[in-house]
Amino acid sequence: MYGWTGKIARIDLTRQKIEIQTLSPDTYARYLGGRGLGSLFLQPCTALNWDHPDMPVCLFTGPLTATAAPTSGRSHMVSMSPLTGLMADSSMGGKIGVQLKRAGWDGIVITGKSDLPVGIEIADERITLVGAKNLWGMTTDAVYQHLAPKKAGLACIGPAGENRVRFAAVITDRHHAAGRTGLGLCLGTKKVKYILVSGTGRTRVKDPEQLKKAREDIFRLTAASPALMGQYGFSRMGTGAMYDLMDNRHMMPTDNFCATRFAPAGKLNANAYARFYSPRKHGCKGCHILCKKISTNHTAGTPMPEFETMSHFTALLGLQDIQLVTAANQRCNSLGMDTISTAVTLSCYREIIKKDFTPVSLLGMLEDIALDRGEGNALKRGAAAYARSMGKPDAAMAVKGLELPAYDPRGAYGMALGFAVSTRGGCHLRAYPISHEILRKPVATDRFSFSGKARIIKIAEDLNAVVDSLIACKFIFFAAGLEEYARVFSAVTGLDVTAHDLMAAGEKIEYNERIINSLKGFDARHDDLPARFFLQPGTGSGQIRVPPIDRAAFVQAKNAYYAVRGLSTDGLPTKSKAKQLGLPWKTW
Amino acid sequence: MENLVKKYARKLVDAGLAASSGPGIPLVGGLDHALVWNTTAPEIPVLEQLFQHLNINCLVFLRPSPPYDRIIRFLAGRALKGSGRILPQDCETRTFLHDLPVVEHFDLQAIVQALKQRKSVIIQGLDKENPCWGPVVIAPGNVSPEQGFVGVSSVCFACFVTFFSDYLALLKTGNKDPHMDRVFDQVLPFVQTQKSPLPDLMHGPFSKEQDVYAAMVQAGQKIVACGLVDSYFGNISYCWNNTLYISQTGASLDELTGCIDPVPLDGSTSAGITASSELTAHLDTIGRTGCQAILHGHPRFCVIVSMDCDPAQKAACPFSDKCHTHCPTPRHLASVPIVPGEVGSGPFGLCNTLPAAFDTSDSVIVYGHGLFVTGKTDFTQAFSTLTAVENLCTNRYLEQVRHLRHG
Ligand code: SF4
Ligand SMILES: [Zn+2]
């Protein structure tokens, strides 16, 4: 086989055994890698609780990993979410994916539970379980310093993952977070503190010349993309470049999504960070965009917050201090917590308790959550559980338990629909409609209309399922498309595949997740948004009105989505559609 | 969706790419919960099947008007004798469409196969008995009918440029192709050799922000209306009050209302992330020249002439496969510099070559791409320069052809 190594390591922590599993070429072609293969391994365990020893935590690369394909350095982690009860998955940056592939593995599937803290060390074909008692309790920064991975890829959890914080993250190579859905706790519950990987092999590529050509086509497209390589694009400014735009478009979630404009935003934008921190570029292995930013001056080495963190740790919480944002970001990363979920949980708390944070109380509360102290104990279960426990469920700005990112859905109706129907809860990345609703790519759509959005969202979800499985970075799809990536895929694997064929694989992967979630009891009732968005307007101004979303129009769009996706009117997968897609029907 | 399918059908007619009635009427379909078309037509049942076979939500079917029909028929025939693809060399097509697949007949499977790989397909369709006779260009989209509109329009543009470029290159090598001569003679009457007179534009310098917006919207509309450039290619900017007002990426020049980004020169906001991909080139040009207005479009003969390179020189050139980015020969058309550079601000982006070229001229052609012109305080001068340079290019082209054909 080209592209894939053909080997998956099954690591059983309970029995301390490692087995090699192989899959048929047909399975690889159907599920690709990353998120697709992860869900395949998750499927048989759907009936289990997220913390059942047999519940796997999967880390998969894709066929493009460790090749010259642009932005192919990422990997994908999959399990069952302690936060949402849905399938959990998160894209993982850094270099661990490349190292894993070079070590000869398409992925690892971790099952069982260790009695004592453990590290998984992979050096080419050698996989060792190493006692990690001395690292338990350490922050992710401390683990990094202690293990000094150098060229190896390191994924680890912080205290949050150990202390059952439901939105605990996995931090890779110090600066990259697989933040969403609580995967840090999935590892923590198995007592896995870290995964350290180094490899010396190479991914076999069928047609390097063709790959080079396809790569150049993609480079040309990214160079032409203002959002990626432009003067204010991600490459120069980081994802924080979105901050001004969200303010401009009146869709910056403010005061726990009660408003959509934040007056001091102009002082808290990417430019403010650039002036204060003089950041340099940094990024995932093999990426030419390099959207991460790290400071260079007296604050040298400080990672700049991503857009979501910049927005939520200012507007959402009513704070206006970029140094505090940077500190909170660092604190969340080193404690191993998702910044989005953390901020939304804190803003839910702020709304209910009616008390503003000070810099000291904010940073203190982050520690309290991660270390399970004081009020942190109630907050560590996430916004939805906390709000419920306080008798104020409407204060939780989450969909299916996953806290919402920094795009107010009243300002982008595709985003509203995308949040509601996403298979991992309140997530902007499944359909990523920001591309056409805000960044005008491939063309602009009317952001205040549901017209056409049902099909657009469905198609985009399929696309992103492919992207998470190949694996490539979602950002590059602001410029390139599967048309170009199908050529990359064919050059790497030697399989004669079109963009359309890949989309068909994406549809299967998405539908499979719907099946898994339906078995967990999720249906149309859960594909909804917090009531606030239907009842309260956002912040308008002269030219822009931000009315509440019309519920009837939303429901109509959701029903249209179900029809296009081949779900029942209850939002449930059907046997006939599963059969048509060649998916097993609840037989595991 | 109903509005959109009608809008883009109308735009194709307005652009002279399609007829407003009869079998040449463009078909635009959009699918949400139901599939809607701008009109009824015998081709629609077949086109509807494309929606079942492809992950799309819209589609444009264009039976192009003259001269595009003849040009595309010729290029399609030639492609079908070879790789089955037309390989345009202009920058826009190389970047966004790569190449243009061609199929012989209105055969569903062949069309589907082509569209699974590329953003457009050309159907030669010689069989006049078939209700779907050609040539036809089909382009789908997965977001909005605008994609199909841009797709078919780009194909027409690319084919136009390819045909005239190839013809000149053929004549220069001394080879003969009577078929191509014939097609050239047929399409020549459709080539607009003298563009319409200059419209009356708002006079600068402008002192109010709303005047800046109004002047940009007006210049965009007029430049498209007079047939100089296509609406979906190009960008426009005006510098006022330490802010560059610039058209957004993907904005149509004739629909700029609400699609202009104010970008402060001090970089204090990054709202310019949605600005044109040529933002950096505009900023640097303004900074270097002190001009306030910039117009950029893709007038066809500017693009064609910019790629004209002596065959012997080309054969000996080590960069002949990288002309767009590496052409080392200082080139001019009269006093207008021609510089290499790709779209955007990548390492080979035109932002690295364009601004300096304005040191000696108020207009610069970018190889295989288009024309940038500056105006001191408003768009009047820019507009007239753009017209003059395109006229110059058209005449230069036609003179060369006349000379090579008839001596
Ligand atoms: S764009 Fe950013 S997130 Fe994506 S691969 Fe590159 S560095 Fe990683
Ligand atoms: Zn251009």
Side-chain angles (χ1 to χ4, degrees), chain A residues 229-299:
Chain A
M229 305 307 268
Q231 185 136 347
Y232 296 105
F234 287 7
S235 184
R236 296 208 194 173
M237 307 301 290
T239 55
M242 294 296 293
Y243 194 87
D244 287 315
L245 207 55
M246 288 299 105
D247 175 44
N248 246 290
R249 303 293 190 267
H250 298 209
M251 54 188 286
M252 181 172 281
T254 302
D255 292 332
N256 205 27
F257 290 85
C258 287
T260 58
R261 275 208 107 172
F262 187 52
K267 298 189 313 225
L268 305 167
N269 59 10
N271 177 57
Y273 289 82
R275 275 187 292 129
F276 191 80
Y277 292 101
S278 313
R280 65 176 167 83
K281 289 184 189 181
H282 172 76
C284 303
K285 185 90 185 153
C287 176
H288 69 293
I289 301 169
L290 302 175
C291 72
K292 312 280 169 219
K293 301 288 162 263
I294 296 183
S295 72
T296 58
N297 51 19
H298 59 285
T299 59

Side-chain angles (χ1 to χ4, degrees), chain A residues 231 244 269 440 484 500, chain B residues 53 98 119 249 268 270 280:
Chain A
Q231 185 136 347
D244 287 315
N269 59 10
R440 310 176 53 84
E484 288 79 22
H500 179 87
Chain B
H53 285 85
H98 312 301
K119 296 185 189 78
T249 178
S268 55
S270 46
T280 305

Side-chain angles (χ1 to χ4, degrees), chain B residues 92 233-235 277-278 296-298 343 350 369-372:
Chain B
E92 198 78 25
F233 290 145
N235 35 67
S277 43
E278 308 308 357
H296 163 56
H298 300 185
V343 184
L350 60 88
H369 177 158
L371 175 64
F372 286 78

Side-chain angles (χ1 to χ4, degrees), chain B residues 13 38 56 62-63 67 94 115 135 155 188 190 196 220 239 252 259 261 264 267 309 350 377:
Chain B
V13 174
N38 60 313
I56 58 175
L62 174 76
R63 188 170 279 132
R94 281 175 76 240
L115 289 178
V155 169
L188 194 58
F190 295 97
S196 37
C239 188
S252 287
C259 297
D261 278 339
C309 179
L350 60 88
T377 56

Side-chain angles (χ1 to χ4, degrees), chain A residues 376-434:
Chain A
N377 176 267
L379 295 178
K380 75 174 191 181
R381 289 178 300 134
Y386 171 73
R388 257 196 323 272
S389 73
M390 300 297 284
K392 300 242 161 81
D394 287 351
M397 293 295 110
V399 170
K400 301 189 197 91
L402 188 67
E403 292 80 5
L404 292 176
Y407 306 93
D408 195 289
R410 283 165 294 203
Y413 289 10
M415 189 60 92
L417 184 60
F419 280 164
V421 300
S422 147
T423 52
R424 70 170 186 178
C427 161
H428 58 302
L429 292 168
R430 282 293 203 252
Y432 222 8
I434 218 66

